[in-house]
Amino acid sequence: MKRLLDRFDHFLIDLDGVVYLGDQPTPCAPETFNALKEAGKRRLFITNDPRHTANDYARKLIRLGIPADPAEFLTSGRAAALYLENEGKTDRPIFVVGSDGLRPEIEAVGGRVLRGREGTAAAVVVVGGHEHFSYQELKIASLAIQRGAAFIATNRDANFPMPDGLWPGTGPIVAAIEVATGVSPVVVGKPEKRIFEIALDLFPPNGRSVIIGDRLDSDILGGQRAGLATILVLSGCTTAAMADRSPIRPDYVIENFSRLTTPPA
Ligand SMILES: [Mg+2]
């Protein structure tokens, strides 16, 4: 019998709840994701979190015992930058509402990032959640969008789990700009299919691709929208009961990664 991993060539892998929970690897994650590499599979770790760079994530995985190259990561911030590049928008002035991790992603594709009040002259506004969001940023982004700037959101996740509860994510910041301008953004991250299409462009053509994720309404729904095979792993925020009740049906539901790397008995 085939191992599940033998059915696919290219693996898109969600990070939080799949590879790690906080600062701990999920059970069997190092063995599994190292085995993928040893089997010659292509890996691309994807995350909606736009606050950190690919280098930050590569360092984190190395710390957890999963050697990985920065080129194997696609954050929603990098996806937004690649989206701008694909749309031919990187030669226009860009205002970034986001962390110090997001700005270099936009600059890496040749984007000219405006700072401070100059931002009202931007032709593109890119928004990713960050802890230092201010009224000043809200005002500059809103003025630029009123004057016709394109409005791009890395994602619109409402929140993310932290030890003391759910912290506001990119969604509430996007919503503030949306309410102020009456304009809705182009959203790049999960569950929109754009991040998946951008991810697939980073793989060689004609491989069999699959997403491994822990969220039905994000990883699995987005993967299905992009025409990917889907594997739900119950190591993160979804329980077997939640998966049973959901109208979103992944191709495979696995308790843990042993299903991926060992043939069925
Ligand atoms: Mg996750």
Side-chain angles (χ1 to χ4, degrees):
M1 284 288 272
K2 270 186 168 183
R3 299 172 299 177
L4 189 49
L5 79 82
D6 296 316
R7 296 175 186 267
F8 304 103
D9 307 300
H10 306 150
F11 289 77
L12 276 74
I13 305 156
D14 175 46
L15 283 169
D16 208 359
V18 174
V19 179
Y20 51 72
L21 287 163
D23 276 322
Q24 293 298 320
T26 54
C28 307
E31 304 89 291
T32 303
F33 296 113
N34 293 336
L36 285 182
K37 191 159 199 164
E38 282 150 24
K41 307 295 183 183
R42 300 290 284 256
R43 308 177 305 188
L44 189 66
F45 297 97
I46 67 170
T47 174
N48 259 9
D49 189 339
R51 294 171 303 162
H52 310 291
T53 63
N55 285 324
D56 298 332
Y57 285 111
R59 274 196 295 271
K60 176 165 183 173
L61 260 60
I62 290 166
R63 249 191 347 259
L64 299 179
I66 307 170
D69 187 272
E72 292 182 287
F73 295 83
L74 182 64
T75 66
S76 63
R78 182 160 171 245
L82 294 172
Y83 173 78
L84 290 179
E85 190 177 44
N86 291 344
E87 296 285 304
K89 288 196 165 115
T90 50
D91 59 344
R92 310 203 198 144
I94 300 168
F95 183 65
V96 176
V97 175
S99 70
D100 291 338
L102 179 55
R103 229 166 268 113
E105 299 286 7
I106 306 296
E107 287 168 340
V109 295
R112 186 161 64 84
V113 176
L114 302 178
R115 309 274 165 158
R117 246 178 281 170
E118 277 193 321
T120 56
V124 179
V125 173
V126 177
V127 180
H130 72 131
E131 279 188 40
H132 304 289
F133 178 60
S134 68
Y135 182 83
Q136 184 70 2
E137 282 182 313
L138 171 61
K139 185 174 75 181
I140 293 166
S142 300
L143 288 170
I145 291 166
Q146 278 169 49
R147 292 169 188 173
F151 179 12
I152 316 289
T154 58
N155 70 93
R156 57 190 322 161
D157 293 2
N159 50 49
F160 55 95
M162 289 297 280
D164 57 351
L166 298 172
W167 288 20
T170 298
I173 294 174
V174 169
I177 298 170
E178 209 170 6
V179 171
T181 59
V183 177
S184 293
V186 169
V187 181
V188 176
K190 301 177 279 186
E192 302 305 322
K193 66 177 179 181
R194 291 185 184 89
I195 192 169
F196 294 93
E197 291 170 345
I198 290 162
L200 292 176
D201 276 348
L202 299 173
F203 288 130
N206 301 327
R208 298 162 299 171
S209 302
V210 65
I211 167 85
I212 306 177
D214 72 318
R215 283 192 73 119
L216 287 160
D217 60 3
S218 163
D219 306 309
I220 304 302
L221 179 62
Q224 290 175 342
R225 285 174 171 166
L228 287 167
T230 55
I231 300 174
L232 177 74
V233 60
L234 303 176
S235 53
C237 69
T238 306
T239 61
M242 287 159 71
D244 278 343
R245 278 199 308 270
S246 173
I248 302 165
R249 312 303 302 176
D251 296 305
Y252 304 92
V253 179
I254 62 176
E255 195 73 36
N256 58 56
F257 293 118
S258 62
R259 253 300 292 290
L260 210 59
T261 51
T262 41

